[in-house]
Amino acid sequence: QFVATQVVPVLCVDTEYGNYLRGNKLYLESVSQTLPDTLATDKSFDGVTVRGHVLVDPSAKIGAGSVLGPDVVIGADCVVGDGVRLSNCTLLNGVSVDGHARVSDSIVGWGSRIGAWAQLVNHCVLGKDVSVSAESRLDNVVVCPFKGVKGDQPAGKIVL
């Protein structure tokens, strides 16, 4: 069985140039040619819109009204709330994204939690077990593992 966690066995990230996300995009294009039935479609989830190439682990839960894609990978045991928008991003295993949050051009580390209405945009990278509070906006922010982020963060910040 082919699952999302097989996409990238090792996390190597160049946050400035987004090589990981570009690699995922190329990989998803390849999967669409070789194993198209493994990719999600609008029929995969009730009330969810899928655009472009999206790979979702079978154990993940996706809320109604969410829009996935293009170029999204959702790992095992992830929970995506209602009305969430995901594009050009990877959610590693165990991530939870609360309702109406937006994650774009970003990588979310294992077990991280993103609050309702939060936004992660422009190459954000969250380490393992990071918590982002509701209604926060992160733009090109890197957050080290086991940290919490409350409120908006300026572009280019590194949270140690």
Side-chain angles (χ1 to χ4, degrees), residues 59-73:
S59 64
K61 308 265 187 280
I62 311 296
S66 293
V67 178
L68 310 178
D71 305 320
V72 170
V73 176

Side-chain angles (χ1 to χ4, degrees), residues 21-97:
L21 294 174
R22 276 199 298 271
N24 261 0
K25 178 178 178 153
L26 293 171
Y27 182 78
L28 291 170
E29 287 175 9
S30 173
V31 169
S32 74
Q33 300 295 317
T34 58
L35 298 165
D37 293 341
T38 61
L39 296 176
T41 67
D42 283 336
K43 296 176 185 175
S44 301
F45 308 96
D46 288 335
V48 175
T49 301
V50 176
R51 299 177 177 156
H53 307 312
V54 175
L55 185 60
V56 180
D57 187 273
S59 64
K61 308 265 187 280
I62 311 296
S66 293
V67 178
L68 310 178
D71 305 320
V72 170
V73 176
I74 299 174
D77 301 317
C78 288
V79 177
V80 175
D82 293 343
V84 169
R85 303 295 189 257
L86 302 176
S87 64
N88 192 34
C89 66
T90 296
L91 307 182
L92 297 174
N93 296 352
V95 168
S96 67
V97 182

